[in-house]
Amino acid sequence: MDFNIDKANNKVLVKKEFAASPAFLWAAWTESRLLDQWWAPKPWKAGTKTMDFSEGGSWIYAMTSPEGEEHWSRNDYLKIGFAEKVSKPVYEIYFTFRMVIVPLTRF
C-alpha cells in the first residue's frame, strides 16, 4: 500500500493494488469487515466501530498496536466514485474524506 502525503494541501493519496474483480475491489474499500483486514500497516490492526459509506457519512475506527494501544479516527466521506477502466486492466475508486480529530472519550 502506498501513502502519498501532501501536507501543504492537507491531502493523502492511498494506493492499494489488488488482483481482484472490480466488484471485490469495491467491497474491499466499502465493507468494514474487508477494510479492517488490510487498512492498518502490519503488525497493527484496524477495527471499525461504525461505518456509513455514503456521501455525508463517516467511518469511525481504531488502529490497534501489537501492545493493544488504540488510536481512534473518524473519516467523513465527502465524495465517492468509481471509474470503470481507467486503463486496462486498472480500475479506480476515489474518496474525498476529511479526517476529524476527536477525543477518545467520544467513542
Side-chain angles (χ1 to χ4, degrees):
M1 182 171 5
D2 295 327
F3 284 84
N4 295 308
I5 300 170
D6 179 355
K7 289 183 180 181
N9 294 304
N10 291 325
K11 292 184 179 185
V12 176
L13 175 64
V14 179
K15 287 185 175 184
K16 174 76 174 175
E17 290 187 16
F18 294 89
S21 69
F24 186 81
L25 174 64
W26 183 256
W29 280 95
T30 63
E31 295 178 22
S32 62
R33 67 179 177 78
L34 296 174
L35 188 58
D36 287 347
Q37 293 177 34
W38 66 267
W39 181 252
K42 296 198 182 313
W44 290 62
K45 296 187 187 256
T48 296
K49 180 174 175 98
T50 62
M51 184 178 192
D52 173 7
F53 188 77
S54 64
E55 292 186 3
S58 63
W59 175 35
I60 298 173
Y61 67 97
M63 294 272 210
T64 306
S65 74
E67 297 77 32
E69 182 180 342
E70 293 181 334
H71 294 266
W72 286 91
S73 182
R74 185 181 98 204
N75 294 336
D76 294 335
Y77 294 106
L78 306 176
K79 185 175 180 181
I80 298 170
F82 183 77
E84 292 259 350
K85 294 194 180 176
V86 172
S87 64
K88 281 189 172 180
V90 176
Y91 294 78
E92 181 178 89
I93 294 175
Y94 58 87
F95 312 109
T96 303
F97 62 88
R98 174 183 54 238
M99 183 175 285
V100 180
I101 306 301
V102 180
L104 182 60
T105 56
R106 293 275 313 270
F107 301 109

